[in-house]
Amino acid sequence: MRVRDAIRDLPASRIAEISALGMGDPAVIPLWYGEGDLPTPEFIGAAATAALEAGHTFYTYKAGLPELRSIIAEYLTGLYARPTAAGRIVVTSSGMTALMLVAQALVDPDDNFVIIAPVWPNIAAAVSILGGEPRLVALDPVPGGGWRLDVERVVAACDARTRAVFVNSPSNPTGWVIPAAEIEALLDFARRRGLWLIADEVYGRIVYGNRPAPSFLDQAAPEDRLIVINSFSKSWAMTGWRLGWMTLPPDLLPVMEKLVEFNTSGSPTFLQHAGIVAIREGEPFIARFVARCRAARDVAIDRLQACRRVEVARPEGAFYAFFRVAGITDSLTFAKEALARTKVGLAPGSAFGPMGEGYLRLCFARDPQLVAEAIDRLRPLID
Ligand SMILES: Cc1ncc(COP(=O)(O)O)c(C=O)c1O
C-alpha cells in the first residue's frame, strides 16, 4: 500500500508494544500509560450530560466557546505572574491535537524542531508527519538521578532550519521542572533568533511543592512567539474526553482558527460546556489528586531507592518515576521480561529518545498500595 514516506517510516510506539502484550490480563498492574485510575469527577460528567440534554449538540466557534476561553484566561491569570487575555486562547480536541496544529502551522519539509529530551514521543512524531526533523537535545542526568538543562546545548543544536524549541515541563517522563532562570534564558534566545518556543505545560498543576510549576506565561509578553500547550486530561482526570487548549500570540489566532476548521472544525460543544465547570469547580479535585499522587510518589521512590541497582530522584512534578537500572542496556526487552515474569506493565526508557535507554518509566498516578505492590513484584529483577 502506497503512503507517504514520512508516515511509512514513523516508528511504532514502544509503549503500545508492551501494553499490547498485557492488555486485558486482570493480573497485570498497568503502569505503562500516562494516566491515573480515577474516573472523571462526577460533577464534570454531570455537566456534560446536562449540556447534551440542553441541546448543545451543534457546531460551534472554531477557537472554542467564548465562555470557556474566558474562564481559561481567568484561570491562567490567577496562576501565573502575567495576565492572559481570552483572545489568546484556542480550545482544541486534546493536547495532542494542539501539538499537531502547531506542527501544521510551523513545519515545512526539512525544517527542524529542537526538542528537549527524554520526551514523550508524540511531539517528535508530529514534526516527522509534516516532513520535518525532530532534533532531540538531552537533559544532563545529575548524580543521584535528577536532570539539568544546559541551555548552551539547545543554542548549539539550532541552525537556519530550526523553527521552534520545544520544552515539556513538568516533564514526561523525567519529572524535571524547568527553573525560572532557564525559562528566561530560552525566551531571550528565542527572541534574539526569531524562533518559536513551544511549551508543553500539560502537567503544570501536577507538582509537589507549594506553587504551580514555573511557566513561560510567568515571563512572556503576549506578542512573544510562544505557544503554550495545555490539556484537561491530567489535572481533571479527563484523558478520554480529548479536550485541551493552547495559549498563543493574538496574531496567530486567525491562523489557528483556519487550521482548526480543516482538522476538527471545533471541539465537541457539550464537552466544552463541561470544561467550563471543570475549571470553575475543579480545584478541590486537583488538590486531592495531587495529594494522592504525592503519597504514591513517595511510596514508589522510597521502594525504588531501596533497590541496589536502581538510581532515581524524587520527581518534582508530573506522575512518573523514571529510573535507571544498572546493567540494563535494552529497556524494551527488559520491560517485556518484567511483564512476563512479574505482571507489572512499565514503559521502556528508549520510547522517550535514545538518551532514555537503560531507564524504565513507571506511572504512579494510582492507589499507593498498588504502586507498592508493583515495585515489590519488580524487586527481584532490579535489586
Ligand atoms: C507531555 C505530554 N504532552 C501532551 C500530552 C497530551 O495529552 P492529551 O492529548 O490527552 O491532552 C501528554 C499525554 O500523555 C503528555 O504526556
Side-chain angles (χ1 to χ4, degrees), residues 299-353:
V299 161
I301 300 300
D302 289 348
R303 276 180 153 68
L304 285 169
Q305 285 179 341
C307 297
R308 283 163 296 185
R309 287 165 56 215
V310 170
E311 189 178 43
V312 66
R314 211 166 291 267
E316 294 173 55
F319 42 50
Y320 306 101
F322 196 59
F323 58 99
R324 190 144 73 124
V325 183
I328 290 180
T329 52
D330 180 345
S331 54
L332 183 63
T333 301
F334 178 84
K336 285 180 185 166
E337 191 189 324
L339 178 66
R341 288 178 50 191
T342 70
K343 301 252 181 212
V344 175
L346 300 170
S350 58
F352 307 94

Side-chain angles (χ1 to χ4, degrees), residues 115 130 228 232 275 318 331:
I115 299 171
L130 273 298
V228 181
F232 284 86
S331 54

Side-chain angles (χ1 to χ4, degrees), residues 78-286:
L79 285 177
Y80 302 120
R82 289 190 163 206
T84 297
R88 293 176 59 202
I89 306 297
V90 173
V91 176
T92 58
S93 302
S94 77
M96 183 61 228
T97 301
L99 290 172
M100 188 56 87
L101 291 167
V102 166
Q104 290 176 7
L106 301 185
V107 178
D108 272 324
D110 300 326
D111 283 346
N112 65 71
F113 268 30
V114 167
I115 299 171
I116 296 168
V119 68
W120 186 56
N122 292 29
I123 177 61
V127 174
S128 300
I129 285 169
L130 273 298
E133 177 203 349
R135 198 173 273 184
L136 302 193
V137 169
L139 291 167
D140 292 322
V142 296
W147 301 84
R148 188 169 39 220
L149 173 65
D150 180 351
V151 174
E152 284 312 311
R153 288 235 235 127
V154 174
V155 172
C158 293
D159 61 18
R161 296 308 302 259
T162 303
R163 297 300 312 277
V165 174
F166 178 90
V167 195
N168 164 224
S169 163
S171 153
N172 171 9
T174 59
W176 168 74
V177 175
I178 189 170
E182 269 100 67
I183 290 181
E184 190 181 347
L186 286 177
L187 259 175
D188 180 55
F189 169 64
R191 283 174 184 147
R192 278 190 283 114
R193 290 280 290 265
L195 297 176
W196 282 92
L197 263 173
I198 315 303
D200 178 335
E201 299 189 356
V202 306
Y203 296 98
R205 301 299 306 281
I206 318 290
V207 282
Y208 305 109
N210 293 325
R211 304 192 54 244
S215 167
F216 281 79
L217 296 174
D218 285 323
Q219 299 193 36
E223 300 72 30
D224 275 317
R225 293 186 197 195
L226 167 71
I227 304 174
V228 181
I229 308 290
N230 223 311
S231 172
F232 284 86
S233 287
K234 314 292 174 178
S235 307
W236 293 275
M238 291 170 68
T239 47
W241 291 57
R242 318 310 302 132
L243 198 60
W245 75 83
M246 58 182 135
T247 308
L248 37 66
D251 284 0
L252 204 60
L253 186 83
V255 173
M256 281 302 174
E257 283 180 316
K258 205 158 54 174
L259 283 177
V260 168
E261 168 69 37
F262 301 128
N263 277 274
T264 56
S265 302
S267 299
T269 311
F270 61 99
L271 299 189
Q272 293 194 53
H273 281 275
I276 295 167
V277 175
I279 292 191
R280 198 171 57 214
E281 296 169 28
E283 287 302 311
F285 173 78
I286 295 176

Side-chain angles (χ1 to χ4, degrees), residues 1-9:
M1 193 178 25
R2 173 106 182 86
V3 296
R4 288 173 51 226
D5 292 353
I7 309 303
R8 187 201 54 217
D9 297 342

